Amino acid sequence: MHAPDGFLTAGTAVATGAISAGTIGLALSRTRDTLADKQVPLAGIAAAFIFAAQMFNFPVLAGTTGHLLGGALAAILLGPSLGAIVVTVVVVVQAFAFADGGLTALGYNTLNMAIITAFGGYALFVLLRKLFPANGAGVVAASGLAAGLSVVLSSLAFSLEWLFGATAPVPFDRVLGAMVGVHLLIGIGEAVITALAVGAVLSARPDLVFGARDLSRAQIDDRPKVAMRTFGVAAVLVVVVLATVVSQFAGGAPDGLERVAQDQGFSQSAVDHPLGSALFADYATSGVTNEKLSLAIAGVGGTLIVTLVLAGLFLAVRRRPDDAVPGEPASHVDSDSSG
Amino acid sequence: MGAGHAHALYVHGHSPVHAMAPEAKVAAALAFVACVALTPASVPWAFAGHAVVLAVVIRVARLKPGFVLARATVVLPFILFVFLLPFVASGERTQVLGMSVSAAGLIAARTILCKALIGVTLSVVLAATTETTAIMRGLNRLRVPAVFTTIATFMLRYLETLTGELGRMRIAMTSRGYDPRWLWQAKPIASSAGALFIRSYERGERVHAAMLARGFDGTMPSMDDRRASRREWALAALPALAAAVSILVASILAGL
């Protein structure tokens, strides 16, 4: 996911950079009170935790491993604003101090790996928590599903950025199919690890889980064993549904090898030179049969991402009145250690 | 991308590049890499010019070229994708080694490859000649909010501790026979992640309490107040200028 320099066009890099900087600025001003003195070392160590968590390689299939991205995990444990800041710090430091990800690619790398996974993931988490019972099991299940979907959301965002800022004439639907397909697999791992990690924190220090602040101790301890199975079934169902949708979509376009064969047969037919088109080149339609579907998915996907990120931002900004309620435990980052 | 993150790329040295004030160095890196990213695909020879600029910087920094190239391999997963580009891209097709590939895809692959390689090499040079805390100080002086760079500094400070802790957890699990091959065997990894979070958080609380006891008022005292001189800013502008010149020269040559 750490894209190098020159992967997307300069315009896309600048645009995503502006969006990322603006969002992180908002998140910083949101957390200014808590970060003023007390939380800075804590946020730093939380960032080190996410950095270390990205080194947790977990098995995906026999032989292959994936690693945690941690955006949704950070948002659920620390809250969306602080979560987004912490993961952004990780991505920026990786680019500057570890040469991982291009410096000019920071705009879209931050957007995809930190902002969309944290805010989008948190919005999904809040949404899913409404579907599950208000207890520890519900939090764990919602964490897992939100984390898995946040990875898919991130790959969807990358595909959309490719639609607007492609540096090569690869059709949008092919990029989307490949990106979302691969990230569905990665998302399963992310879901399992995040759910189990949140569950582990919940059983030892429930006061440290931002996403479960509204629950009492008794509710948190209410974690029937069957819930993990339900979670497993639900996760598999979601993945199967998504995989079906994606495969339907990607199946409409010929794959790379078929494409080569096809084009060899029709090499005389004139094709627009894709590099000659403007900034918002219509790569979605270049040489693709199902252009309407392609554009429809692009539109729906874009709307979905923007809605979820805005919902996450709204949830982050809305906290203020809640914190003032006496008797309510304020955000866990505010409360003193009760352990 | 999974391993090796914890070890910064810094190589101790006393070259002029090492000695340059971090804000000038970071600005120089950003300006140069922006020029590289803006190089149009139609002037491939400009990349040769950029590579020469980088080679000069590596020479002046007295870094071993082999070290820089070895560290630049983090970009490899994306290079694999780039090699697929000529085959999956659409557009006119040409023959290369008896295979039909997309001409536009070929040009795009070449351009991304050059930009990615030059970009990652530059990042390695920056990280190899600048301590991580100095990079953060440089970013701070380039108007990145202090909260952000302070969090990053704390992160870097505790990264070794946490990865050490993670390593010990791994050794403990492995020595008890844990060797996961399938996803459903992942529970101990996740429990360790949870345990690591709680340990990190409690360490953060302890660190903060200790800092307050020593008079921490929310801002970190700076140990190095030396700012970049005019001469350093002028030197910092050189790589970007050279890159701009090589784009210009390559464009003129391509136009002839």
Side-chain angles (χ1 to χ4, degrees):
Chain A
M1 289 295 278
H2 294 82
D5 292 298
F7 211 68
L8 297 174
T9 55
T12 317
V14 171
T16 51
I19 295 172
S20 300
T23 316
I24 290 303
L26 194 66
L28 278 174
S29 73
R30 251 307 296 159
T31 48
R32 180 162 294 148
D33 299 343
T34 43
L35 282 179
D37 65 340
K38 172 168 166 121
Q39 302 304 335
V40 169
L42 252 172
I45 289 178
F49 164 72
I50 294 296
F51 205 128
Q54 293 197 349
M55 288 193 259
F56 272 104
N57 284 306
F58 53 79
V60 176
L61 293 166
T64 57
T65 58
H67 74 84
L68 204 64
L69 293 178
L73 180 63
I76 292 163
L77 290 177
L78 302 167
S81 296
L82 197 53
I85 292 170
V86 155
V87 185
T88 303
V89 167
V90 171
V91 173
V92 169
V93 169
Q94 279 169 347
F96 274 100
F98 297 90
D100 203 357
L103 296 182
T104 59
L106 265 178
Y108 41 92
N109 279 343
T110 308
L111 187 65
N112 295 340
M113 288 194 287
I115 291 173
I116 287 177
T117 53
F119 285 110
Y122 193 75
L124 283 169
F125 171 74
V126 170
L127 210 67
L128 286 164
R129 274 212 49 203
K130 301 213 185 303
L131 299 180
F132 294 111
N135 58 20
V139 172
V140 170
S143 303
L145 281 175
L149 289 173
S150 75
V151 176
V152 177
L153 210 58
S154 169
S155 70
L156 194 58
F158 182 85
S159 311
L160 282 169
E161 286 152 24
W162 184 265
L163 174 63
F164 289 111
T167 45
V170 181
F172 165 71
D173 56 356
R174 204 173 289 165
V175 172
L176 181 80
M179 282 298 286
V180 175
V182 168
H183 285 86
L184 272 174
L185 268 180
I186 297 176
I188 298 174
E190 183 93 4
V192 172
I193 302 282
T194 305
L196 292 171
V198 169
V201 178
L202 213 52
S203 44
R205 283 287 301 270
D207 56 312
L208 297 191
V209 182
F210 183 93
R213 290 168 312 147
D214 53 327
L215 299 181
S216 68
R217 188 70 202 228
Q219 282 174 310
I220 286 172
D221 289 340
D222 179 19
R223 284 169 65 186
K225 267 279 171 252
V226 69
M228 277 316 284
R229 202 178 304 151
T230 321
F231 162 69
V233 171
V236 167
L237 272 180
V238 167
V239 167
V240 165
V241 167
L242 279 176
T244 316
V245 171
V246 170
S247 65
Q248 283 292 321
F249 178 53
D255 74 6
L257 285 174
E258 283 173 337
R259 178 85 208 162
V260 173
Q262 211 179 39
D263 281 320
Q264 271 178 325
F266 299 99
S267 52
Q268 298 95 335
S269 62
V271 182
D272 284 349
H273 197 289
L275 291 186
S277 39
L279 177 65
F280 294 107
D282 53 348
Y283 287 126
T285 63
S286 62
V288 189
T289 45
N290 50 357
E291 59 177 89
K292 276 188 188 144
L293 182 58
S294 177
L295 284 175
I297 297 269
V300 171
T303 317
L304 185 72
I305 292 174
V306 171
T307 312
L308 283 172
V309 171
L310 285 182
L313 272 174
F314 173 74
L315 286 166
V317 174
R318 195 200 52 169
R319 292 282 162 220
R320 186 58 44 199
D322 291 8
D323 291 349
V325 176
E328 273 269 316
S331 84
H332 79 273
V333 279
D334 284 331
S335 61
D336 291 320
S337 72
S338 58
Chain B
M1 270 182 265
H5 271 324
H7 301 286
L9 299 170
Y10 184 68
V11 179
H12 184 74
H14 298 283
S15 75
V17 181
H18 282 82
M20 187 184 255
E23 63 268 35
K25 216 186 311 183
V26 170
L30 287 174
F32 176 74
V33 82
C35 285
V36 173
L38 285 171
T39 307
S42 52
V43 288
W45 286 109
F47 292 118
H50 302 334
V52 169
V53 175
L54 261 184
V56 170
V57 175
I58 291 172
R59 186 85 189 84
V60 173
R62 291 181 218 131
L63 293 170
K64 292 193 185 81
F67 163 85
V68 175
L69 289 180
R71 293 308 177 101
T73 50
V74 284
V75 82
L76 268 180
F78 279 91
I79 288 181
L80 289 179
F81 169 80
V82 168
F83 280 123
L84 283 178
L85 267 182
F87 299 100
V88 298
S90 57
E92 286 173 50
R93 310 205 74 87
T94 54
Q95 295 287 327
V96 177
L97 301 173
M99 289 178 290
S100 168
V101 295
S102 156
L106 208 59
I107 293 174
R110 185 183 66 197
T111 311
I112 296 180
L113 199 62
C114 290
K115 288 182 179 176
L117 281 177
I118 294 173
V120 74
T121 311
L122 172 87
S123 300
V124 171
V125 172
L126 175 69
T129 56
T130 324
E131 280 180 86
T132 46
T133 45
I135 293 179
M136 291 309 139
R137 206 161 55 231
L139 281 177
N140 192 16
R141 290 180 191 163
L142 292 172
R143 303 266 181 276
V144 172
V147 176
F148 193 86
T149 52
T150 314
I151 293 176
T153 310
F154 272 106
M155 181 193 115
L156 289 162
R157 188 166 297 172
Y158 288 100
L159 200 53
E160 284 293 334
T161 317
L162 286 202
T163 50
E165 203 146 10
L166 179 65
R168 288 193 292 280
M169 285 175 171
R170 263 193 191 150
I171 291 170
M173 287 195 288
T174 312
S175 62
R176 285 162 179 78
Y178 179 63
D179 178 25
R181 300 182 69 78
W182 304 94
L183 188 57
W184 52 85
Q185 298 168 331
K187 185 163 168 112
I189 298 179
S191 311
S192 317
L196 186 65
F197 175 74
I198 294 169
R199 285 191 196 179
S200 315
Y201 198 95
E202 290 177 345
R203 184 187 294 276
E205 286 176 331
R206 287 199 303 277
V207 166
H208 182 251
M211 289 176 69
L212 282 185
R214 287 163 178 76
F216 178 59
D217 61 353
T219 51
M220 291 296 285
S222 174
M223 305 297 269
D224 177 16
D225 284 329
R226 194 179 71 84
R227 301 288 171 132
S229 63
R230 250 172 230 282
R231 194 175 144 271
E232 279 179 308
W233 283 116
L235 276 175
L238 280 182
L241 278 180
V245 168
S246 71
I247 295 174
L248 205 65
V249 170
S251 312
I252 293 169
L253 287 180
L256 286 175

